Amino acid sequence: MSTASRRNAISLLASSRQLYYGSKYSWIGSRRGFASGSEENDVVVIGGGPGGYVAAIKAAQLGFKTTCIEKRGALGGTCLNVGCIPSKALLHSSHMYHEAKHSFANHGVKISSVEVDVPAMMAQKDKAVSNLTKGIEGLFKKNKVNYVKGYGKFLSPSEVSVDTLDGGNTVVKGKNIIVATGSDVKSLPGITIDEERIVSSTGALALKEIPKRLVVIGAGYIGLEMGSVWGRLGSEVTVVEFAPDIVPTMDGEVRKQFQRALEKQKMKFMLKTKVVSVDTSGDTLKLTLEPSAGGDQTILETDVVLVSAGRVPFTAGLGLEKLGIETDKGGRISVNKRFATNVPGVYAIGDVIPGPMLAHKAEEDGVACVEYIAGKEAHVDYDLVPGVVYTHPEVAYVGKTEEQVKTLGVEYRVGKFPFLANSRAKTIDDAEGLVKIIAEKETDKILGVHIMSPNAGEIIHEAVLALHYGASSEDIARTCHAHPTMSEAVKEAAMATYDKPIHI
């Protein structure tokens, strides 16, 4: 072949490549920002939170042409942007401050003075959030997930109209559409959240200064975690709870120890108490309180109020009624075991359907839903979704509480082991808490595991795996655990369940 012929061949090949890749990848590039939606997708996900973005990535990995629609303009949903992630950043930072002020000297580390720099603390939190949201965008590009920034609503079971963040509108078409729009803060009658003095968890993550007094309405996961953050930094924290107990899903025995631990940290509790109203007219906030069962009213003054009374499914403006998608009394979308709604081709996952309102539950939903769409088999057991309260000490649990086992009428054994007898806990001078294992008496099958300790959320997964495979307490007891570790307390509690522990 002559030089001229080779040049012509190379030029022709380059032109053909440009024609192919240009038409293919320029379309993908436009869809990653504000898509035209002119071509049909195999899967469209409305919502880019933990359930939604995981579902989108899994769908793309299974070979589906996939688009994810997110109204926030930043992926990760409530969890990553204004929930799980920033709260854990502040929990860690505030714990470091508290340790420096109260515990370092015990370890021979003496500091003349310790100060809190709230703007710097917030900046570290914001940096972590930003890096993680950008990381998800990178995963979308890696897996060729098309990303549309805007608010989506149904036009039909196969079409979603998106009001894009740049002020435009586009229609995204899909054979299968997954609703993964998450949840929102539950409001209380007569209390208006302004995110300055009366805040939701979002506002509590962005306070500009440490309030002298903080009242938390609601003694669940979020309220206790955010109360811990500001309490460590110097706020006088009072938790007001309508119910007779904190964290109602927690095992009763562990709950009592947990509440005592928080009270030792100067957190105050007003249980069986209803907040009637909040007066915002003065320099301080005045809460009118009364017993849950009724009775004389009292006034409680504070500087900031955190409303943390739970969350509700977020489905506003989606157009579910237009399609006839069924919901329950709580506003949750009704689905079958395959996450399918009553409308063919429309699915729902995460906080908008029944089950624990937890990010990791939503992720499992997302993977399983897409696998069902792909014709595979999948399963999510909501009884084996671990719960974690990220205070200090943490509380983590999976399976049944002792109260639930009693209600079922099952004969059972309980094994417990305190961290006061755990060598690693003693060496780090952080030994408050215990491991509690509940097992069926006849078969020794583990029914529930409850842990209160530093990093309990990291320790619990051994128990989650054990319950998934129907393990007995003896199975854990006969599994070699590294020494010295906090996890040895799980082994000892298992030994205490079916036989006797060694170190107590």
Side-chain angles (χ1 to χ4, degrees):
M1 181 183 290
S2 67
T3 301
S5 296
R6 284 199 301 271
R7 285 174 179 169
N8 289 335
I10 292 170
S11 176
L12 180 62
L13 178 60
S15 298
S16 65
R17 281 177 173 169
Q18 183 177 7
L19 179 64
Y20 175 74
Y21 289 115
S23 62
K24 181 178 180 182
Y25 289 109
S26 63
W27 174 82
I28 288 176
S30 67
R31 290 297 294 273
R32 279 189 182 133
F34 302 114
S36 66
S38 58
E39 295 190 34
E40 187 174 43
N41 296 270
D42 297 309
V43 174
V44 173
V45 183
I46 307 176
Y53 86 74
V54 168
I57 290 173
K58 186 63 178 180
Q61 289 176 344
L62 291 175
F64 289 131
K65 188 177 181 180
T66 306
T67 290
C68 182
I69 303 165
E70 170 53 48
K71 68 181 176 66
R72 194 185 300 271
L75 294 167
T78 295
C79 174
L80 202 162
N81 290 278
V82 290
C84 328
I85 298 302
S87 65
K88 303 311 165 285
L90 291 184
L91 280 161
H92 181 66
S93 296
S94 62
H95 179 64
M96 291 178 72
Y97 168 75
H98 190 269
E99 288 289 286
K101 191 171 183 179
H102 298 283
S103 301
F104 276 15
N106 295 337
H107 297 271
V109 180
K110 295 185 178 181
I111 303 174
S112 57
S113 65
V114 182
E115 297 179 357
V116 177
D117 184 340
V118 173
M121 194 175 286
M122 293 297 172
Q124 193 279 331
K125 170 206 68 173
D126 293 340
K127 180 181 177 181
V129 170
S130 177
N131 287 341
L132 287 168
T133 55
K134 290 175 182 176
I136 299 173
E137 287 193 25
L139 291 172
F140 269 21
K141 291 175 182 177
K142 175 185 175 182
N143 290 281
K144 297 182 174 60
V145 175
N146 307 313
Y147 175 26
V148 180
K149 299 178 181 180
Y151 198 108
K153 58 184 176 182
F154 282 102
L155 293 178
S156 74
S158 60
E159 295 174 302
V160 179
S161 172
V162 183
D163 293 329
T164 57
L165 295 186
D166 66 350
N169 179 272
T170 188
V171 175
V172 179
K173 302 176 183 178
K175 299 173 186 175
N176 303 281
I177 299 178
I178 302 172
V179 179
T181 46
S183 59
D184 201 358
V185 174
K186 182 180 181 181
S187 60
L188 293 176
I191 301 176
T192 302
I193 295 172
D194 59 18
E195 298 298 12
E196 292 184 5
R197 292 205 295 169
I198 302 179
V199 300
S200 68
S201 55
T202 301
L205 291 165
L207 294 177
K208 294 179 175 61
E209 58 185 26
I210 302 166
K212 181 179 178 182
R213 295 166 297 181
L214 171 68
V215 169
V216 179
I217 304 176
Y221 290 45
I222 298 170
L224 297 180
E225 289 179 6
M226 294 313 303
S228 290
V229 167
W230 295 107
R232 292 169 188 165
L233 298 178
S235 297
E236 298 174 11
V237 179
T238 301
V239 180
V240 181
E241 171 57 53
F242 185 87
D245 298 303
I246 67 171
V247 197
T249 54
M250 196 177 286
D251 180 85
E253 180 181 13
V254 176
R255 183 196 300 123
K256 289 178 182 177
Q257 290 200 31
F258 180 46
Q259 184 174 333
R260 285 198 296 269
L262 295 177
E263 288 171 339
K264 284 194 290 184
Q265 298 170 27
K266 299 183 181 180
M267 190 178 288
K268 300 175 183 177
F269 291 92
M270 299 180 69
L271 305 177
K272 300 182 184 179
T273 303
K274 177 183 178 180
V275 178
V276 178
S277 63
V278 181
D279 181 357
T280 62
S281 60
D283 293 334
T284 62
L285 301 173
K286 295 181 180 179
L287 290 79
T288 300
L289 309 176
E290 68 180 24
S292 300
D296 295 337
Q297 294 186 343
T298 57
I299 301 296
L300 177 64
E301 288 194 43
T302 189
D303 300 296
V304 174
V305 171
L306 165 58
V307 179
S308 182
R311 300 185 66 83
V312 292
F314 182 80
T315 57
L318 280 175
L320 302 182
E321 305 83 1
K322 180 179 179 180
L323 268 60
I325 294 175
E326 295 176 355
T327 58
D328 63 17
K329 293 180 180 179
R332 297 172 298 187
I333 298 173
S334 301
V335 295
N336 62 18
K337 70 174 186 177
R338 305 176 73 86
F339 302 95
T341 69
N342 61 305
V343 176
V346 179
Y347 302 80
I349 62 171
D351 287 1
V352 295
I353 68 171
M357 284 185 166
L358 297 169
H360 43 286
K361 175 263 192 188
E363 292 183 6
E364 298 301 320
D365 284 355
V367 171
C369 178
V370 170
E371 288 178 335
Y372 279 128
I373 291 172
K376 299 175 178 289
E377 285 302 317
H379 178 63
V380 181
D381 189 342
Y382 291 162
D383 288 334
L384 300 183
V385 174
V388 184
V389 185
Y390 294 91
T391 49
H392 191 89
E394 293 181 356
V395 177
Y397 49 95
V398 64
K400 305 294 185 187
T401 65
E402 187 170 357
E403 291 76 17
Q404 289 172 329
V405 174
K406 284 180 180 178
T407 301
L408 292 171
V410 176
E411 291 190 355
Y412 64 95
R413 290 194 182 98
V414 173
K416 291 177 281 189
F417 191 81
F419 279 92
L420 280 170
N422 175 266
S423 57
R424 184 65 184 274
K426 296 292 284 186
T427 59
I428 63 174
D429 192 26
D430 201 350
E432 188 169 24
L434 79 161
V435 177
K436 177 178 179 179
I437 296 178
I438 305 165
E440 188 177 8
K441 186 176 182 179
E442 182 178 354
T443 64
D444 192 37
K445 180 180 178 181
I446 298 171
L447 303 176
V449 178
H450 309 268
I451 305 172
M452 178 177 127
S453 75
N455 297 319
E458 301 292 343
I459 302 171
I460 193 64
H461 300 106
E462 173 181 7
V464 178
L465 187 63
L467 266 72
H468 265 292
Y469 283 92
S472 66
S473 66
E474 186 176 356
D475 289 329
I476 291 181
R478 294 190 180 278
T479 300
C480 184
H481 288 59
H483 174 77
T485 60
M486 304 289 280
S487 295
E488 286 180 287
V490 179
K491 176 185 175 73
E492 292 274 4
M495 295 173 71
T497 306
Y498 91 96
D499 191 16
K500 292 179 180 180
I502 296 296
H503 292 97
I504 192 171

